[in-house]
Amino acid sequence: YDSQSGMIPRPVHMPDKVAPGGSDAEAEELRAEMYRAVRELLPEEGPTGVLLSGGIDSSAVAAMAAPQAQQLIAFTAGTEGSDDLGYARSVADLFGLEHHEYVFDAGEARRVLPEVIYHLESFDYPLVRSAISNFMASRVASDHVAVVLCGEGADELFAGYDELKAITDDGELADHLKAL
């Protein structure tokens, strides 16, 4: 979603099912669609930001954006010594990205919590927890870039939540994913 123009990019067509053991053709279709989706979100001019935690979701977005963006700048926020800071630093180094880190403490997290919950519109602990870091990193990014990519939404698309991993019936899993 582009907040300045109000435009929503063309929807991403996800293959019906890409599961472990899926075909090479299904995996290639998914890869091509993800690259296309990232490409369509890149600005025509200027740098692009990526919220980078060092996890697989944001790292995959960075890997897809790096060769396509005019300039890709990574933004990470976390507490002193957090895994996110170290992993994100490694991924940024791997792709040769300019990388901005913001270190916050528990007191600052508590101070922004009401604003984070307001914008998130949720009290769900895991979502709030990750949204605090995204909120902090986004504030830093807003001083440098007009467009920021992130890996949010991958857990919903690929059943990454713990409660979904336990579902073994494909039909039941599909119903749960549609409800998210």
Side-chain angles (χ1 to χ4, degrees):
Y1 176 77
D2 182 328
S3 62
Q4 290 186 16
S5 70
M7 300 297 295
I8 297 174
R10 183 168 67 89
V12 174
H13 164 72
M14 298 303 290
D16 290 335
K17 180 181 177 186
V18 175
S23 72
D24 289 346
E26 289 172 320
E28 179 54 31
E29 180 184 358
L30 175 62
R31 186 198 69 75
E33 192 65 17
M34 290 175 69
Y35 266 95
R36 185 203 52 79
V38 167
R39 182 175 51 256
E40 287 189 6
L41 293 171
L42 298 175
E44 290 182 24
E45 295 181 7
T48 304
V50 61
L51 299 185
L52 187 59
S53 69
I56 193 166
D57 304 339
S58 64
S59 297
V61 170
M64 289 180 271
Q68 301 184 85
Q70 289 180 3
Q71 178 186 11
L72 188 63
I73 304 172
F75 300 93
T76 305
T79 56
E80 186 67 45
S82 69
D83 287 343
D84 282 1
L85 293 175
Y87 292 142
R89 196 175 300 126
S90 295
V91 173
D93 288 347
L94 177 68
F95 295 112
L97 305 180
E98 179 181 328
H99 186 211
H100 298 264
E101 294 181 5
Y102 183 81
V103 178
F104 61 91
D105 61 19
E108 187 175 5
R110 280 191 296 275
R111 283 191 298 278
V112 302
L113 186 59
E115 190 173 1
V116 169
I117 290 172
Y118 173 81
H119 290 292
L120 186 61
E121 299 180 345
S122 174
F123 294 104
D124 187 40
Y125 170 74
L127 294 177
V128 171
R129 183 172 173 258
S130 67
I132 291 171
S133 294
N134 282 345
F135 179 84
M136 304 282 195
S138 295
R139 287 195 316 193
V140 175
S142 69
D143 292 334
H144 300 274
V145 296
V147 175
V148 178
L149 306 174
C150 68
E152 295 296 315
D155 288 317
E156 289 80 5
L157 288 173
F158 300 110
Y161 294 120
D162 288 339
E163 65 269 17
L164 297 177
K165 293 176 186 175
I167 300 173
T168 57
D169 178 80
D170 285 347
E172 184 181 348
L173 179 59
D175 289 342
H176 276 52
L177 291 174
K178 286 178 189 174
L180 289 176

